[in-house]
């Protein structure tokens, strides 16, 4: 029951304050990862050093988070819920994700392509300097779809299972993957463990999110067929599920050709191009993300209550 109250309070805090830019635990986690990257990511045994880095980051994060929550509950039941909610709040980012998408939409609607390229370049890893409107929209929609799981429902999933400490553990692993999980010469070995563990932790949440996304929007049989047809058309074993669900609901095509650091990457497409990508699809993608978040939280709460009373 305490986890349920903490989750809903965390969502309320996110709605009011969005993602705090100062004193954010993820920033501290990032600093710890960067420190270990500088000192360990060299010489021999890089894969082993990467495993050690992941273990240290996860252990420190879990111990601190769990210790804070337990100490808070010992002082007061209400204070405990508040502290746990604060920790969950820092592990999710639905409002910040929506705001980032709208930051791309606004210049597009004004016809300022250069500004839109700059804004979308802040939330995606691909090269954006030469993107036209359709490419900008696709990049933004794909990011909203992927981060519906990565940045919202996955930490909520672990919050329902193990409270704020487990949600923050997931965020630590996800941050390790974001900083170290690149398939290049520097990180192929050192970031291997972070990338693989993030895939494992997000395996169930990504699929649940895609199912909830289609269910809450009363998707037809065509959308469900498209989900299972194209969910694996992505280099990530998880990201394709949310992107396929989003593409099915928007009736657009995602995936295809991207450029990363001037290197062209050709990926299979996701979805059918029933309609061309347009600026309005960013607003619709955000709406889908928000509804999915609410439905996922309601479903998780009901399931948690059933398990508690059972």
């Amino acid at each position: 029951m305490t986890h349920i109250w903490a989750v809903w309070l965390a969502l309320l805090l996110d709605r009011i304050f969005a993602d705090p830019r100062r004193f954010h635990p993820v920033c501290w986690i990032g600093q710890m990862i960067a420190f270990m990257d500088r000192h360990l990511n060299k010489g021999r045994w890089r894969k082993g050093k990467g495993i050690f880095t992941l273990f240290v980051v996860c252990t420190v994060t879990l111990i601190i988070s769990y210790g804070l929550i337990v100490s808070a509950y010992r002082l007061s039941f209400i204070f405990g819920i508040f502290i746990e909610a604060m920790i969950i709040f820092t592990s999710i980012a639905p409002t910040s994700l929506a705001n980032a998408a709208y930051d791309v939409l606004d210049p597009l609607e004004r016809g300022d392509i250069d500004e839109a390229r700059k804004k979308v370049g802040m939330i995606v890893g691909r090269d954006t300097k030469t993107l036209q409107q359709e490419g900008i929209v696709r990049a933004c929609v794909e990011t909203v779809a992927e981060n519906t799981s990565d940045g919202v429902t996955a930490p909520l999933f672990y919050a329902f299972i193990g409270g704020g400490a487990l949600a923050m553990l997931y965020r630590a692993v996800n941050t390790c993957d974001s900083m170290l999980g690149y398939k290049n010469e520097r990180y192929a070995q050192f970031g291997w463990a972070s990338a693989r563990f993030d895939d494992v932790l997000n395996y169930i949440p990504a699929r649940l999110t895609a199912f909830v996304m289609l269910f809450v929007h009363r998707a037809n049989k065509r959308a469900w067929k498209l989900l299972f047809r194209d969910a694996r058309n992505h280099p990530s074993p998880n990201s394709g599920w949310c992107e396929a669900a989003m593409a099915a609901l928007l009736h657009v095509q995602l995936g295809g050709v991207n450029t990363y650091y001037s290197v062209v990457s050709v990926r299979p497409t996701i979805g059918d191009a029933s309609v061309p990508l347009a600026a309005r699809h960013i607003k619709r993608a955000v709406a889908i993300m928000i509804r999915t978040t609410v439905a996922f939280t309601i479903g998780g709460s009901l399931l948690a209550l059933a398990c508690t009373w059972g």
Side-chain angles (χ1 to χ4, degrees), residues 126-127 131 138 142 255-260 263-267:
R126 71 195 68 175
D127 298 340
L131 291 180
R138 177 166 69 84
E142 288 174 353
V257 181
N258 295 322
T259 303
Y260 299 89
V263 178
V264 176
S265 172
V266 181
R267 299 178 178 180

Side-chain angles (χ1 to χ4, degrees), residues 215-273:
F215 179 79
V216 75
H217 291 91
R218 300 179 181 179
N220 55 26
K221 290 182 179 180
R222 169 195 160 279
W224 286 96
K225 288 181 180 179
L226 190 150
L227 172 66
F228 288 102
R229 186 194 76 187
D230 292 349
R232 294 175 179 84
N233 289 355
H234 195 285
S236 165
N238 301 318
S239 297
W241 286 86
C242 292
E243 288 192 19
M246 185 70 77
L249 292 173
L250 296 179
H251 306 285
V252 299
Q253 189 172 83
L254 303 176
V257 181
N258 295 322
T259 303
Y260 299 89
Y261 303 102
S262 302
V263 178
V264 176
S265 172
V266 181
R267 299 178 178 180
T269 57
I270 296 175
D272 296 327

Side-chain angles (χ1 to χ4, degrees), residues 105 109 133 137 250 275-285:
L105 176 62
E109 292 181 331
Q133 176 168 312
V137 172
L250 296 179
V275 296
L277 281 159
R280 69 179 184 276
H281 288 119
I282 294 177
K283 187 178 294 185
R284 290 187 60 194

Side-chain angles (χ1 to χ4, degrees), residues 177-199:
D177 178 50
S178 298
M179 295 180 65
L180 308 176
Y182 297 102
K183 296 179 180 179
N184 56 30
E185 183 178 353
R186 177 171 175 78
Y187 292 110
Q189 295 297 312
F190 191 74
W192 174 84
S194 297
R196 297 290 77 77
F197 196 33
D198 182 72
D199 288 342

